[in-house]
Amino acid sequence: MSMKIRPGAIFRKNDQILLLRYEYNGTSIYNIPGGNHDEGETISEALTREMWEELGVKITIGKLLLVAEASKNNTKQEVLHLIFESYIAENQPVINSNECSALELVWMSISDLVNIKLYPNIAGELFKVLRNENGPVYLGKIDQPWY
């Protein structure tokens, strides 16, 4: 069984976080910005590269907030999500359509997290961490619907 490593970035502005909105089967799905780790990269290099490629921002990575494992459908593909508090150091985020198929960037209120479909499926836990500043939190295997 193989495991992909997917670092993700939580960017905060006031009481909001930055999410990417996608549309699958008529349903809005929100993703934590991030991407797959490439062989030979450190986790921080992967997250820094992904944010530059997809959103055109240079970032500073803060503390680890959440760790979760998910299985992709009924395959042997496992994904390890590492969610980091992150800060935009340069530029404003803009979707690079050559690297990212998201429809839009959304600054979502932290209190609205529990009302959306989020990838990875950690909205409730993320809400608690962002409200209480607890962490890092290892969630173990999460129930991940695939849209």
Side-chain angles (χ1 to χ4, degrees), residues 7 12-13 16 19 23 33 35 37 43 47 67 73 76 78-79 92 95 100 110 137 145:
R12 290 176 85 160
K13 180 171 69 174
Q16 300 175 318
L19 298 175
E23 191 86 15
H37 167 267
I43 300 303
L47 186 55
V67 177
N73 293 336
K76 293 184 177 182
E78 299 281 327
V79 182
Q92 290 302 310
I95 296 171
C100 179
I110 293 168
V137 177

Side-chain angles (χ1 to χ4, degrees), residues 4-18:
K4 282 188 173 185
I5 298 172
R6 185 184 186 277
I10 297 295
F11 299 108
R12 290 176 85 160
K13 180 171 69 174
N14 302 320
D15 200 32
Q16 300 175 318
I17 63 169
L18 184 65

Side-chain angles (χ1 to χ4, degrees), residues 51-131:
M51 294 304 91
W52 177 250
E53 289 175 355
E54 293 186 0
L55 302 179
V57 293
K58 292 190 178 183
I59 66 168
T60 302
I61 300 171
K63 69 181 179 182
L64 179 64
L65 298 175
L66 293 169
V67 177
E69 298 174 48
S71 296
K72 190 164 186 174
N73 293 336
N74 293 321
T75 69
K76 293 184 177 182
Q77 179 68 62
E78 299 281 327
V79 182
L80 179 67
H81 296 277
L82 303 169
I83 310 300
F84 293 90
E85 185 174 56
S86 300
Y87 306 93
I88 297 171
E90 289 183 32
N91 304 333
Q92 290 302 310
V94 176
I95 296 171
N96 175 358
S97 59
N98 293 326
E99 295 286 337
C100 179
S101 62
L103 301 176
E104 66 178 327
L105 295 171
V106 176
W107 285 99
M108 174 82 56
S109 168
I110 293 168
S111 60
D112 288 338
L113 281 175
V114 295
N115 300 319
I116 64 169
K117 292 183 179 354
L118 182 68
Y119 178 79
N121 189 24
I122 58 170
E125 294 84 356
L126 182 59
F127 174 82
K128 291 175 196 169
V129 166
L130 294 175
R131 282 287 183 235

